[in-house]
């Protein structure tokens, strides 16, 4: 649903957001009319348009203090050109009617750097690095403690980054921000899973209350017996132990110890609530792949041996053989799909057991292998707040770019602020949807007010 307060459509205002409504406003963006406007009105209109995009979460008084009339830029100085031309020809032509050199560099858009100080803010840098779908969401990540700067937690969205600073965002937050949302069916699966986990927790709490003091000794014995059993049972035993400690020593334990025990209980419950099909172990898959490869190498030889007697039949039965071959070909076209789906179902339900791949072709085996790798790296998990398997959200490609002053690694959701943005001949390193007329008028507005 569109936020009518931040993304209006009647009077479009651009925002730092991946919203489809913001993309619609960006598509119909036009320069403001200047024919019947005074210079003051032109500057104010340009300032309001630019400020709706650049730092709309920052107060105007705070931005006025951040504004600097000193603009960072880079002047190209080619050694070869400086050696060839010292500027004497151009200086001789001034006022004498002599044409100088026409090889002028492109103009540098200095006024497009008006809002360069805002690019140092932590929330803006997170949005530029594509770790959040909007600057407001990036600000929320920082306030909630999901962002670290140089290895330390940072809760101030207005923190100004220095060249060389490394900031990192929680990968789960990034996957939620950049991934597609759940549909109604996926949301229903999540509700059912949460309901089942709540019922299991209620049963466990009732069992712990009935057992009472004898639960500690029984849990210790069960823990010793089931060390090599299912890890889920081990987690349940640990959870029961933590609950008995909390119930029996509530008055003796310090507050910090209680907080640690509660956090441990939440982590164990989160692991137990996940579906069995989504927890696919990498080691089991790698061993399974090796077994499948060995079976696949043995399969073509068996097929060749079975096909040789058919080729040695008499010439009188060639028509019957061709008809049977055509029928077997049509049947084989339908069988591989069923065999492939059956093999994938077996691998998904029982990842530790062997999968029968004798009826699969080489192409089908490659498809099965890729599917299992995807199931391992990008599993289906109804407990996640985003759609699984993960896929990028809609209308994301129009905003997918990284500025030059950032070095981003999306595998670990970390980025380095390399340097401050600068203006170069022909372009500015500050991403902005507005042209030079808007940037010049906005710069003149803040230049007058300083």
């Amino acid at each position: 649903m569109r936020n009518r307060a931040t993304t209006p459509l009647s009077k479009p205002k651009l925002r730092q957001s991946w919203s489809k409504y913001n993309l619609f406003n960006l598509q119909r963006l036009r320069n403001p009319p200047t024919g019947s406007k005074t210079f003051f009105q032109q500057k104010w209109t340009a300032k309001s348009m630019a400020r709706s995009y650049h730092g709309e979460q920052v107060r105007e008084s705070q931005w006025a203090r951040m504004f600097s009339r000193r603009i960072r830029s880079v002047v190209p100085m080619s050694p070869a050109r400086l050696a060839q031309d010292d500027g004497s020809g151009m200086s001789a032509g001034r006022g004498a009617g002599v044409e100088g050199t026409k090889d002028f560099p492109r103009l540098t858009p200095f006024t497009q750097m008006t809002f360069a100080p805002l690019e140092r803010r932590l929330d803006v840098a997170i949005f530029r690095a594509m770790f959040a779908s909007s600057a407001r969401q990036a600000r929320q990540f920082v306030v909630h403690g999901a962002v670290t700067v140089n290895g330390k937690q940072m809760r101030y969205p207005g923190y100004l980054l220095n060249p060389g600073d490394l900031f990192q965002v929680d990968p789960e937050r990034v996957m939620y921000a950049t991934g597609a949302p759940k549909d109604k069916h996926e949301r229903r699966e999540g509700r059912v899973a949460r309901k089942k986990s709540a019922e299991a927790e209620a049963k466990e709490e009732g069992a712990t209350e009935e057992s009472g003091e004898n639960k500690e000794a029984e849990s210790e014995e069960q823990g010793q017996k089931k060390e090599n059993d299912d890890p889920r049972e081990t987690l349940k035993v640990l959870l029961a132990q933590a609950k008995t400690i909390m119930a029996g020593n509530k008055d003796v334990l310090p507050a910090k110890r209680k907080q640690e025990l509660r956090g441990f209980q939440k982590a164990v419950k989160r692991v137990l609530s996940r579906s069995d099909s989504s927890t696919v172990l990498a080691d089991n898959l790698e061993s399974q792949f090796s077994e499948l490869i060995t079976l696949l190498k043995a399969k073509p030889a068996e097929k060749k041996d079975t096909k040789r007697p058919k080729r040695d039949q008499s010439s009188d039965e060639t028509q019957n053989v061709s008809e049977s071959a055509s029928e077997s070909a049509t049947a084989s076209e339908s069988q591989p799909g069923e065999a492939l789906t059956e093999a994938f179902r077996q691998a998904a339900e029982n990842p530790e057991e062997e999968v029968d791949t004798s009826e699969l072709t080489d192409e089908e085996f490659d498809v099965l292998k890729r599917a299992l790798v995807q199931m391992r790296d990008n599993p289906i998990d109804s407990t996640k707040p985003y759609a699984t398997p993960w896929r990028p959200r809609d209308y994301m490609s129009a905003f997918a770019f990284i500025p030059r002053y950032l070095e981003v690694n999306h595998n670990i959701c970390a980025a380095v602020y390399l340097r401050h943005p600068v203006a170069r001949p022909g372009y500015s390193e500050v991403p902005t949807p507005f042209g030079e007329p808007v940037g010049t008028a906005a710069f003149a507005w803040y230049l007058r007010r300083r």
Side-chain angles (χ1 to χ4, degrees):
M1 181 178 292
R2 176 173 61 93
N3 189 343
R4 298 179 182 274
T6 59
T7 313
L9 296 180
S10 58
K11 294 182 180 180
K13 289 186 177 181
L14 298 183
R15 306 293 187 188
Q16 290 181 349
S17 172
W18 296 354
S19 171
K20 61 180 180 180
Y21 304 104
N22 189 51
L23 183 62
F24 174 70
N25 290 337
L26 180 63
Q27 184 270 336
R28 59 179 184 155
L29 175 66
R30 301 293 183 272
N31 288 329
T34 58
S36 60
K37 304 288 185 180
T38 63
F39 187 47
F40 178 86
Q41 292 173 338
Q42 295 176 22
K43 292 189 294 183
W44 191 91
T45 304
K47 182 268 300 183
S48 63
M49 289 179 60
R51 283 283 289 126
S52 65
Y53 178 82
H54 294 281
E56 53 95 12
Q57 74 275 15
V58 182
R59 295 190 304 271
E60 184 67 18
S61 59
Q62 184 179 357
W63 158 240
R65 291 192 300 269
M66 294 177 63
F67 173 76
S68 176
R69 64 181 66 193
R70 297 180 179 179
I71 296 176
R72 292 184 175 88
S73 61
V74 175
V75 179
M77 299 181 67
S78 175
R81 182 175 179 180
L82 292 176
Q84 294 176 359
D85 186 9
D86 58 354
S88 60
M90 184 179 294
S91 61
R94 291 179 179 173
V98 181
E99 294 184 359
T101 58
K102 296 183 179 180
D103 187 14
F104 295 105
R106 292 179 295 177
L107 298 178
T108 303
F110 293 101
T111 55
Q112 296 289 85
M113 298 287 296
T114 304
F115 299 96
L118 289 172
E119 301 297 318
R120 292 183 59 188
R121 287 177 57 93
L122 180 59
D123 53 358
V124 177
I126 291 172
F127 171 72
R128 297 298 189 194
M130 295 179 61
F131 294 154
S133 60
S134 65
R136 292 278 185 177
Q137 191 178 47
R139 181 185 182 90
Q140 185 187 45
F141 289 169
V142 177
V143 173
H144 289 184
V147 181
T148 59
V149 177
N150 297 329
K152 297 182 179 180
Q153 190 181 60
M154 178 58 62
R155 290 182 177 268
Y156 300 99
Y159 175 79
L160 298 181
L161 296 171
N162 296 316
D165 283 350
L166 170 69
F167 59 93
Q168 190 170 8
V169 187
D170 183 15
E172 285 296 323
R173 300 292 184 99
V174 177
M175 294 182 72
Y176 167 71
T178 59
K182 289 184 175 181
D183 56 12
K184 60 181 182 180
H185 303 290
E186 293 171 337
R187 289 195 296 269
R188 184 180 181 278
E189 291 178 0
R191 290 193 298 269
V192 171
R194 286 193 298 270
K195 186 177 180 181
K196 289 182 179 179
S197 62
E199 293 177 356
E201 291 174 5
K203 291 180 180 179
E204 290 176 3
E205 290 177 358
T208 52
E209 291 177 358
E210 293 176 358
S211 59
E213 297 179 354
N214 298 328
K215 194 64 177 180
E216 294 183 3
E218 294 177 2
S219 61
E220 290 179 359
E221 295 177 359
Q222 291 177 0
Q224 293 177 357
K225 292 179 180 178
K226 296 184 179 180
E227 287 179 353
N228 299 326
D229 291 347
D230 190 7
R232 294 177 64 87
E233 299 296 333
T234 306
L235 290 176
K236 291 180 180 179
V237 171
L238 293 175
L239 183 61
Q241 291 179 0
K243 288 181 179 179
T244 53
I245 293 173
M246 286 288 293
N249 303 325
K250 187 176 294 184
D251 300 332
V252 181
L253 290 175
K256 188 174 182 180
R257 181 63 176 168
K258 291 180 182 178
Q259 186 177 3
E260 292 177 356
L261 286 173
R262 292 192 188 98
F264 173 75
Q265 290 178 359
K266 289 181 180 179
V268 174
K269 290 177 183 178
R270 193 181 301 113
V271 174
L272 291 174
S273 63
R274 293 180 181 176
S275 58
D276 297 334
S277 61
S278 63
T279 57
V280 182
L281 300 178
D283 298 337
N284 295 332
L285 275 178
E286 295 299 334
S287 60
Q288 186 178 356
F289 290 160
S290 62
E291 294 175 1
L292 292 175
I293 289 172
T294 55
L295 291 173
L296 185 63
K297 289 181 179 178
K299 180 171 64 64
E302 295 176 0
K303 286 188 176 181
K304 290 181 180 179
D305 296 335
T306 56
K307 288 182 180 179
R308 283 175 184 172
K310 292 183 180 180
R311 295 178 181 176
D312 297 336
Q313 290 179 354
S314 61
S315 60
D316 298 336
E317 299 177 354
T318 53
Q319 294 181 356
N320 297 330
V321 170
S322 60
E323 291 177 359
S324 61
S326 61
E327 292 177 358
S328 61
T330 54
S332 62
E333 290 179 357
S334 60
Q335 288 179 357
E338 298 177 357
L340 181 61
T341 54
E342 182 64 21
F344 182 75
R345 186 185 62 80
Q346 294 178 3
E349 294 180 355
N350 300 316
E352 297 181 357
E353 297 181 0
E354 296 182 358
V355 180
D356 185 15
T357 58
S358 59
E359 298 181 359
L360 298 180
T361 62
D362 297 346
E363 296 179 356
E364 290 176 345
F365 179 77
D366 293 337
V367 171
L368 177 62
K369 185 175 180 180
R370 287 196 300 269
L372 293 177
V373 170
Q374 183 180 4
M375 186 174 64
R376 179 193 62 183
D377 297 338
N378 193 7
I380 299 175
D381 193 352
S382 59
T383 61
K384 300 294 184 182
Y386 47 86
T388 54
W390 186 91
R391 58 186 183 274
R393 60 185 300 168
D394 297 335
Y395 309 101
M396 179 180 172
S397 59
F399 307 97
F401 66 92
I402 304 295
R404 291 195 173 188
Y405 56 86
L406 291 177
E407 185 70 25
V408 183
N409 187 345
H410 286 99
N411 294 327
I412 59 175
C413 299
V416 179
Y417 184 79
L418 299 176
R419 53 178 173 78
H420 300 308
V422 296
R424 299 177 182 272
Y427 68 94
S428 169
E429 288 186 352
V430 175
T432 179
F434 307 105
E436 188 177 359
V438 176
T440 302
F443 181 77
W445 170 270
Y446 291 108
L447 193 63
R448 182 191 65 83
R449 292 171 63 98
R450 296 292 293 176

